[in-house]
Amino acid sequence: MIRLIDYLKCINNGVAIIAGLVLLACVILILIDILLRELHISFGGSEEISGYVMAAISSWGISYALTTKAHVRIDIIRNKRQPLGRAVFDLTALCATSYVAVYAAYYVIPVFEKSFKRNSLANTSLETPLIIPQSIWMAGWLWFAVSSCLLLICALWLMYKKSYQPLNDMIGTETE
Amino acid sequence: MLPFSFFGLLGLLALSLPVGIVLFLLAFGIDSFFSPFPLMRGLGQVLWSSSNHSTLIAIPLFVLIGEILLRSGVAQKTYRALNAWVSWLPGGLIHANIATATMFSATSGSSVATAATVATVATPQAEKLGYDQRLFTGSIAAGGTLGILIPPSINLIVYGFLTESSIPKLFLAGIIPGISMALMFMIITVIICSLYPRLGGPKQHSSWKEKLFALQSLLPVLCLLFGIVGSIYLGWATPTEAAAIGVFISFLLAIIYKACSVQMLLDSLSGTIRITAMIMLVVLGAYVLNFALTAAGVGRTLQDLLESLGLSAIATLLIIIAMYIVLGFFIETLSLMVATIPIVVPIIVQLGYDKIWFGILMIILVEMALITPPVGLNLYVVNSARKNGKISDVVVGSLPYVGVMILMIILLIAYPSISLYLPTNF
C-alpha cells in the first residue's frame, strides 16, 4: 500500500517536471513572438498557445500539488487535536477533495466530447482543433480524480491500521 | 442563500478542507438548494474557459522568476547590499527586511513569494544578532505584502482581467501607494524602535566605501526590474510577455552567478507547478462559485439590499471596506478578490468611484488580509521559514504594520490622486 503511494508520488513528480518544461517552452515561444514583432513579422500564436499551456499545467499540476500537500488548508482547529483527531480531519478533507475531483472529471468529459463530435476549431488565426488542447486538459482532470481516489484508499487503509504518523506524512498539513 | 454561503464557507474552512475545494462544494450546494435549473452541467465549460486564458500564464511565470532568484543567491546579495544602506536606522536589520521586500516586490508578482524569499534570507540573521522575533518577523510578513501592490502583481492582473480595466494603468496606479507604504513601514519601525530600543537589534554602520561597493549587488535586481517594468511601458510587451522576459533575465542572472544547473532548473520548475496549481485550484473554485452565485442572482440581491438602505456613496464605501476587513480574517487573498470583484466593483462604479482607484484600495485591503489571523498566508510563510517559534509572535509583530495599512486606506480615500496621478498623467 505504501509502495502504491510511492509510485503515485513518483508519477506526479514526473508530471510536474514535464509540465514545467512545457511552461519553459512556452516562455521561449513568447520571447520569439516578441522578437518577431519587433522585426515586424507577425506570428501572434503565442497568446493562444499560452492559454492552452495554462489550462494543461493547471489541470495536471493539481494532482502534484495534492501529493505534495500544497493545497492551502486552514488547520487551526485541526492542529489542536490528538493524532487520531487530526487523522479524522485529514481524511474528511481528502474525501471532499476526491468527491470534487470525481465530480469535476465527470463534467469535464462532455466538453471534450462536444469538440470531438463537432470537430470544433478554435476561433483564431491558428484554427487549432480544440480536441488537441482539450484532451490534454481533460486527461489532467481525470488523473486528478484517479490520484485523489488512490490516495483516499491508501489513507483509509492506514486509518484502519491505526498508522497515524504515515497518514500524517501522506495527507497532513505542512504548517505545524 | 446568503447565510448559507457565509456559514457554509466558514464551517467548511474550519474543517480544514482545502480552500479551493470549499469553494467548489459551496457552488455545488447553491446549485442543489437554490437554483431552479441544474447549473453544474456547465461545470466543464466553466473550468475550460477560465483556465484557458493567456493572461493567467503570467502567474506561473512570475512564480518561476521568484523560484529562480531564490535559488541563484540574488536574494542574499540584495539583502546584504540594502543592509549596508539602511541598517544604521533605529531598528537595524528590520529596515533591510522592508527594503529587500520592496525591491523584490518590483520583480515578483506575489506577496507570498516575496515574503518567502525575504524570510529565507533574513531569519537566520535575526537569531544570530539577538533581535526581538516579533517585530522582525512581522516586518517581513508585512513587507512581503507589498509584492501585490508594487508592479508587477498577479493580483492586479487578475483584477484587471475580471473588471476589464487596463493592466498597465493598474500597475502605474500601484507605484506611489506601494512606495509610500514601504516608507511608512520604515517610519513606524523607527518610531517603535526609538521608543522601545530592545525590540530592535544593534544598529549597523557601514562606511561609504562599503555602501558604494554594495551597490553593485543591487544591479541584478535593477536589471530585472527594468526588464519587466520597462518592457511594459516602452510598449514592447504586454504584462504577460514582460513576465516571460523576466524569466529570461533571471535565468541569465542565475548563469552569471554560476547557480544554474539541471537540478536547480528542475527544482524551480516543479516548485513553480506546485505553487501555480495551488493558486489555480483556488481561482477555478472561485470562478465556479462565482458562476453559481451569479446564476442564482446573489449580486442583484446584494445590490438591492445596499440600495434599499439609501446610504451615501462614502457610507456604502465604508461598509464595503469593513466587509473586506472582516472577510480578510478568514478568507485567503486571491479567493477573496475573485469571489467579490464581480459583485462589489459594479456597485462601486455605480457610486461614481474610479475602477483603477478601487483596484488599488482593494489590493491594500487584501494585503491586510494576508497578515491578519487566523487566515493570513504571509504569517504562516514567515513562521515556517524560521522553523521554530510560535505563530503568535509573527501576528503581534505585524500589528503596527496593519495600522499603517489602515492609515494608507484613509489617505487613499481622502486623496484619490495618490494612486490616480500616474495613470492619468502618463
Side-chain angles (χ1 to χ4, degrees), chain B residues 44-342:
Chain B
Q45 198 56 49
V46 174
L47 287 177
W48 169 249
S49 51
S50 52
S51 53
N52 167 28
H53 245 292
S54 61
T55 317
L56 295 177
I57 199 112
I59 299 175
L61 297 185
F62 282 126
V63 174
L64 182 56
I65 295 174
E67 292 274 323
I68 297 171
L69 285 186
L70 186 65
R71 290 183 167 82
S72 60
V74 174
Q76 283 86 340
K77 290 196 169 67
T78 312
Y79 189 72
R80 241 174 280 142
L82 288 170
N83 178 19
W85 278 89
V86 294
S87 292
W88 56 273
L89 290 161
L93 273 179
I94 295 176
H95 296 285
N97 293 347
I98 298 170
T100 313
T102 313
M103 202 84 180
F104 269 80
S105 300
T107 58
S108 139
S110 134
S111 285
V112 177
T114 307
T117 311
V118 180
T120 327
V121 191
T123 37
Q125 307 293 327
E127 281 159 39
K128 232 186 292 170
L129 297 170
Y131 274 80
D132 180 83
Q133 288 282 331
R134 287 170 296 180
L135 200 61
F136 194 86
T137 50
S139 70
I140 303 173
T145 65
L146 294 170
I148 57 172
L149 180 59
I150 298 177
S153 150
I154 291 174
N155 294 54
L156 280 177
I157 292 174
V158 172
Y159 181 87
F161 171 66
L162 289 175
T163 60
E164 293 171 350
S165 23
S166 148
I167 293 170
K169 276 197 173 171
L170 281 168
F171 279 7
L172 274 177
I175 295 177
I176 298 180
I179 294 174
S180 13
M181 221 151 85
L183 290 176
M184 281 153 74
F185 282 168
M186 292 175 84
I187 294 170
I188 189 102
T189 311
V190 169
I191 296 173
I192 294 175
C193 292
S194 307
L195 293 176
Y196 308 97
R198 63 183 174 82
L199 289 180
K203 286 186 220 169
Q204 294 180 354
H205 290 280
S206 316
S207 68
W208 279 102
K209 201 176 150 198
E210 282 171 316
K211 282 186 190 172
L212 291 174
F213 187 71
L215 275 185
Q216 69 173 40
S217 308
L218 291 180
L219 275 180
V221 182
L222 290 174
C223 267
L224 191 58
L225 175 65
F226 179 77
I228 295 173
V229 182
S231 60
I232 299 177
Y233 295 108
L234 291 175
W236 295 349
T238 64
T240 310
E241 292 168 344
I245 295 178
V247 171
F248 178 69
I249 299 175
S250 42
F251 261 119
L252 284 185
L253 291 175
I255 292 170
I256 293 171
Y257 284 115
K258 298 194 178 66
C260 206
S261 67
V262 175
Q263 194 52 47
M264 176 263 195
L265 180 66
L266 295 182
D267 286 348
S268 310
L269 288 176
S270 43
T272 304
I273 297 298
R274 183 169 183 257
I275 296 172
T276 306
M278 179 263 273
I279 296 176
M280 278 307 285
L281 185 68
V282 177
V283 170
L284 291 176
Y287 264 103
V288 173
L289 177 60
N290 233 341
F291 166 71
L293 285 175
T294 318
V298 170
R300 222 170 318 122
T301 321
L302 258 183
Q303 249 166 12
D304 290 348
L305 184 75
L306 275 177
E307 268 163 31
S308 69
L309 292 175
L311 294 167
S312 64
I314 184 78
T316 316
L317 181 70
L318 291 177
I319 290 181
I320 290 176
I321 290 176
M323 178 199 83
Y324 273 106
I325 295 178
V326 174
L327 286 179
F329 287 119
F330 306 102
I331 307 181
E332 192 270 334
T333 49
L334 205 61
S335 343
L336 178 59
M337 281 182 66
V338 182
T340 54
I341 285 171

Side-chain angles (χ1 to χ4, degrees), chain A residues 4-164:
Chain A
L4 183 68
I5 292 300
D6 288 339
Y7 284 135
L8 192 66
K9 279 190 179 162
C10 201
I11 296 172
N12 275 331
N13 290 347
V15 164
I17 286 175
I18 294 170
L21 291 174
V22 171
L23 181 68
L24 208 57
C26 186
V27 171
I28 295 169
L29 191 71
I30 296 175
L31 292 174
I32 293 174
D33 208 6
I34 300 172
L35 273 180
L36 287 180
R37 198 170 50 216
E38 289 301 308
L39 300 171
H40 302 288
I41 305 169
S42 150
F43 165 55
S46 72
E47 195 175 335
E48 182 182 348
I49 292 171
S50 40
Y52 300 147
V53 169
M54 192 60 209
I57 62 173
S58 36
S59 76
W60 279 94
I62 290 174
S63 313
Y64 176 61
L66 179 69
T67 44
T68 51
K69 302 189 279 186
H71 291 302
V72 189
R73 289 170 57 191
I74 290 144
D75 50 6
I76 314 157
I77 302 180
R78 172 203 178 267
N79 286 349
K80 294 218 167 81
R81 308 283 136 206
Q82 297 299 312
L84 171 65
R86 291 184 181 192
V88 172
F89 269 84
D90 293 341
L91 263 182
T92 317
L94 187 59
C95 276
T97 310
S98 310
Y99 173 71
V100 170
V102 172
Y103 198 99
Y106 181 75
Y107 283 100
V108 154
I109 297 171
V111 178
F112 169 77
E113 271 179 351
K114 211 159 106 187
S115 306
F116 183 72
K117 276 188 197 140
R118 297 185 186 168
N119 243 333
S120 313
L121 299 179
N123 185 17
T124 55
S125 54
L126 291 183
E127 294 198 323
T128 320
L130 278 178
I131 51 164
I132 301 174
Q134 283 183 345
S135 55
I136 301 172
W137 165 77
M138 174 185 75
W141 280 102
L142 294 181
W143 175 242
F144 179 44
V146 171
S147 359
S148 60
C149 290
L150 283 179
L151 212 53
L152 183 61
I153 294 169
C154 296
L156 287 171
W157 185 77
L158 287 176
M159 186 77 181
Y160 171 72
K161 287 268 180 185
K162 297 199 169 75
S163 337
Y164 301 128

